[in-house]
Amino acid sequence: ADILPLGPLPRLIGHRGAARHAPENTLAGIRMAAAQGAKWVEVDVKLTADLVPVLLHDDTLDRTTDGKGPAKDLELGAMRRLDAGSWFSPAFRGERVPTLVEVIQLVLALDLGINLEIKPCPGREEETAGVALTLAYSLWPDDRPPPLVSSFADASLDMARQVVPRWPLGYLIDRRPANWRQRVEQLNVSTINVNARREDAASIREYKTTGRPVLAYTVNTVPVAREVLGWGVSSVFTDTPSGLAEIAG
Ligand code: G3P
Ligand code: MG
């Protein structure tokens, strides 16, 4: 099958919004990324106890909110009462854990592209992709390039391929699995999303033999960005779009 098309890939993608400058995975973070000139943002999606897709990176609430314990045990109402900004800076006090609905509305309003990283709590790989992408698909306008959907979780990507058969997938990896070529073909992904720290010019060339662009996380300095782009990487995920503005192109 043909590789499903993506919208034009920008050289910089705001990581978790603009994680150096605003609390990660919040509406303020997405606005910050846009204000810094990012054309796309990457966010992490998981489910509340009552199966509402929200943005949160960790399995637990402790690091990025004033709550405690597993995110999967809290219903939306309780999660919405948490403060997801003060841990980062008092300037962001009152920032909430955003719902995926709010995030989609905001990126559409700001005309941003988005990479939805499905980040399931353990054991919820399939339902996280199923619920989040059914919702995202229902909200996404036909006349805009669709989100790029990625996940480290095999079961989430398999489910994504079923739920949004026409949306581009990103094969997201840390250490390269032995069966990576097989997965790239089987899922018919549109991109390969790698950890910049684990790669080099030769490994990037190998990925590119599949005909897919390679995206690399997380790159926060201009020299590293230049090196990684020099290997043939198309885009870097960065916590600091403003810090990398000179390579935005
Ligand atoms: O999707 C790229 C990157 O966000 C993957 O790692 O842990 O920051 O979600 P992580
Ligand atoms: Mg992520």
Side-chain angles (χ1 to χ4, degrees), residues 152-225:
F152 288 115
D154 278 327
S156 295
L157 273 189
D158 288 330
M159 181 58 88
R161 183 38 86 223
Q162 291 185 49
V163 175
V164 285
R166 303 298 307 163
W167 278 11
L169 300 186
Y171 181 57
L172 176 60
I173 55 175
D174 182 18
R175 286 182 197 277
R176 181 163 84 184
N179 66 345
W180 70 272
R181 269 184 198 278
Q182 188 194 328
R183 291 290 286 161
V184 162
E185 296 295 335
Q186 178 185 55
L187 290 160
N188 191 24
V189 298
S190 296
T191 67
I192 302 177
N193 301 8
V194 303
N195 185 342
R197 298 184 124 85
R198 300 209 189 273
E199 308 295 343
D200 57 26
S203 68
I204 299 299
R205 268 197 302 278
E206 266 194 84
Y207 296 124
K208 291 180 71 181
T209 62
T210 67
R212 274 81 177 181
V214 179
L215 286 51
Y217 63 89
T218 305
V219 175
N220 288 332
T221 70
V222 169
V224 174

Side-chain angles (χ1 to χ4, degrees), residues 12 20 196-197 218-229 236-247:
L12 300 183
R20 180 176 291 176
R197 298 184 124 85
T218 305
V219 175
N220 288 332
T221 70
V222 169
V224 174
R226 286 197 196 288
E227 181 183 20
V228 167
L229 294 167
V236 295
F237 297 92
T238 184
D239 296 324
T240 178
S242 61
L244 266 56
E246 65 190 85
I247 63 109

Side-chain angles (χ1 to χ4, degrees), residues 8 10 30 34 37-41 103-114 140-141 143-145:
I30 293 168
K39 302 296 179 219
W40 280 37
V41 289
V103 168
I104 288 176
Q105 288 169 346
L106 181 60
V107 299
L108 291 172
L110 295 174
D111 204 23
L112 290 172
I114 189 164
W140 200 264
D143 60 350
R144 296 258 308 229

